Amino acid sequence: MAASKGGLKWLFTLRGELTKNQGIILTIFGLVVILLVWLLLTSGASPILPKSALPHPMLVLGAFGDLYRDNEIVMNLCKSIGLNMGGYIKAILWSIPVGFAIGLVPLLRGMFQKVIDSIRFIPLTAVTMLFIIWYGIYVDAKINFLAFGIFIYLLPVIIQRIDEVDDVYLKTVHTLGANYWQTIRTVYFPAVMSKLSDDIRILTAISWTYIIVAETNADQGGIGSLIFRTGQRMGRVDKTFACLILIIIVGIFQDRIFGYIDRTFFPHKYQLKNTDGKVVGIESSLLRPVFDFAFQILTWVFLGIYLVLLINEISPFLGQIKPLSYLFGDALWSIHTIFALILFFRIRSLIPKGK
């Protein structure tokens, strides 16, 4: 409901629809309220909450400098991002073929559907030792642990999305004479993937949820390990809050990137329709073209930086310094995979499409 139609009534309407501008305004207002409450609880000589429980915002702000100076926060954050991306890549590579096989083959569904429904109840923190036994105590164990955490949530969703494919499309391709594999390629795969992109986007938080559990085993760096060392062992609650804020910021950026990818590959999801169901345009906002242009420019900038650093990894020209290996460690393969995919689709987008 637009504000112009009812003044501020939209603020108090249950399940009311908000425009993007209204949502931005309320988000800013909510952040201001949180900050004011935080200041109220932590300010003064005798604050309501002691700094050992909730540090003052200025202490948290100062903790960022301490993390940079004393704890190599950039390297630790990058290592966690590498683990995060590695877990996501493996989970997606595992879940899509397995999910399609179980969802489309009645024999496999009958054998494994109940098993999949049950496996979701496994407490992930309890299986950490199993991954150490299977993969050792280093990066492989951590990435596979995170991948498993995402996999057990993503697999049932894929099967559910297969069940949600509209019979109208299936009947149409069958009428046109499509065989089994053509039906999968032209109906099931695009229909499932267009919805699955939203599910993957929502599950972004799963790998960050278990990052501390994964990284505290055989401490090799990472923001989860840093939270454990500085927050729990050294009692630096301000550093813990600073690390959590960094995770939130990275998560927001990941969500925006997934949103951009979703709009790029599945633009039909953002079509605006009138009451008759006819497409009248694409959902957009005044700032959307600006954001999209900035995103494309930044993509090429990061690709350029990555390629320069990659050349340095192969044939060092920065002396003994290898920034990519230093920042991402043994999880560097996940960054190579991400940038290879980005480069492939960027080059493909530059190739003129045939008429």
Side-chain angles (χ1 to χ4, degrees), residues 59 62-63 66 70 227 229-241:
L59 288 176
D66 294 341
D70 303 329
I227 290 174
R229 283 188 281 111
T230 61
Q232 297 185 20
R233 289 185 177 179
M234 300 175 62
R236 288 293 303 270
V237 184
D238 54 337
K239 285 189 176 182
T240 298
F241 272 81

Side-chain angles (χ1 to χ4, degrees), residues 22 33 49 51 66 90 129 133 146 162 173 180 195 210 231 235 252 256 263 270 287 311 349 355:
Q22 291 170 351
V33 170
L49 292 177
K51 66 178 182 179
D66 294 341
K90 284 198 170 185
M129 186 57 64
I133 294 172
L146 294 174
I162 290 174
V173 295
Y180 186 74
K195 293 182 178 180
Y210 297 102
I252 291 173
R256 294 297 91 194
R263 289 194 307 273
Y270 300 87
L287 295 178
I311 293 172
S349 67
K355 295 183 179 181

